[in-house]
Amino acid sequence: MKIIIVGATGTIGKVLTTELKKRHEVVSAASKSGDVRVDITSSASIKEMYAKVGKFDALVSTTGKAAFAPFHALKEEDFYTGIKSKMMGQINLVMIGKDFINDNGSFTLTSGILATDPIKSGTGLSFVNGALNSFGISAGVELTRGIRINVVSPGLVEDSAAGLGAAFPGHVPVPMSRVVSGYVKSVEGFGTGKVIEIY
Ligand SMILES: NC(=O)c1ccc[n+]([C@@H]2O[C@H](COP(=O)([O-])OP(=O)(O)OC[C@H]3O[C@@H](n4cnc5c(N)ncnc54)[C@H](OP(=O)(O)O)[C@@H]3O)[C@@H](O)[C@H]2O)c1
């Protein structure tokens, strides 16, 4: 399969890229490096990426930013950070990409455990994660041509846990191998409209 990974240079994306490259043609994408550059906060940039890459079989997104700040410090603009990047950035990868993807292709987005298991200062991420889960569940109903969509919702990954542990009391960090397996299940498996929780 020809697979685009947006966020391929990040903590999760680089390990996933190594795994999927064993069996597939991978096109890595990120805003500062990669085979193609894309800024997911810009629809024009996303269209440019798809035009450059051409037809493909799977798109995996392991990217997206959102505000991490105490609830009472959050300003309206902080919510828009997550809406513009992690939420609409990933949704636009699907809404624009559906016209470029091959029949029976798949989209895999990333949300996170904070959708349903909140922590202090996590509201800016939690509400976006919840929206992405709902988007995936609903889009799975209407995508045509055999195109599938799933959302991987990882817990705090072991590789990111150093220094963050105190912010996630009682959370058991998840091994990267389990997180990568969630993406592999989405891309190489059969389900659609699923939230694949790796907790
Ligand atoms: N790590 C965890 O423990 C964990 C747990 C649950 C959920 N998640 C979620 O998983 C996703 C990835 O997490 P991560 O820890 O792997 O993140 P990360 O290490 O910060 O990597 C982010 C990736 O996205 C790219 N990127 C950043 N802004 C971009 C933009 N505007 N357009 C295109 N690419 C952009 C980065 O490359 P450039 O800088 O070159 O753009 C990088 O490749 C995030 O949505 C995060 O919330 C992570």
Side-chain angles (χ1 to χ4, degrees):
M1 278 189 271
K2 181 173 171 183
I3 303 172
I4 306 171
I5 302 181
V6 179
T9 59
T11 308
I12 296 174
K14 67 183 177 221
V15 184
L16 179 64
T17 297
T18 302
E19 175 60 27
L20 290 178
K21 268 189 173 170
K22 292 176 188 167
R23 297 178 291 286
H24 307 284
E25 177 193 349
V26 173
V27 179
S28 64
S31 74
K32 300 192 195 88
S33 62
D35 299 324
V36 286
R37 304 285 166 89
V38 63
D39 175 3
I40 62 161
T41 66
S42 157
S43 299
S45 175
I46 292 174
K47 279 180 198 149
E48 215 174 286
M49 175 190 76
Y50 283 127
K52 256 186 218 155
V53 173
K55 289 283 181 187
F56 63 97
D57 301 294
L59 177 292
V60 181
S61 167
T62 55
T63 185
K65 290 179 184 154
F68 189 79
F71 180 79
H72 290 287
L74 284 171
K75 304 273 184 291
E76 186 176 345
E77 291 69 34
D78 297 318
F79 287 95
Y80 290 134
T81 301
I83 289 172
K84 187 83 183 147
S85 177
K86 186 162 179 174
M87 191 183 102
M88 277 318 299
Q90 295 197 88
I91 289 174
N92 278 333
L93 286 171
V94 177
M95 297 312 290
I96 298 167
K98 64 183 170 36
D99 297 327
F100 291 83
I101 194 167
N102 286 328
D103 289 357
N104 305 312
S106 71
F107 292 99
T108 305
L109 307 184
T110 300
S111 61
I113 190 170
L114 300 185
T116 52
D117 193 354
I119 58 168
K120 283 186 176 174
S121 296
T123 300
L125 266 163
S126 288
F127 85 103
V128 158
N129 287 342
L132 285 162
N133 289 348
S134 295
F135 173 79
I137 290 166
S138 187
V141 172
E142 291 195 76
L143 279 166
T144 54
R145 300 192 286 116
I147 298 164
R148 299 181 298 108
I149 181 169
N150 297 296
V151 181
V152 173
S153 177
L156 176 64
V157 184
E158 279 179 354
D159 306 46
S160 304
L164 279 178
F168 287 77
H171 284 237
V172 179
V174 183
M176 183 64 89
S177 59
R178 286 194 55 220
V179 174
V180 166
S181 296
Y183 291 95
V184 169
K185 179 185 273 186
S186 177
V187 173
E188 298 179 356
F190 320 100
T192 192
K194 305 284 182 205
V195 177
I196 300 172
E197 295 178 336
I198 313 291
Y199 301 157

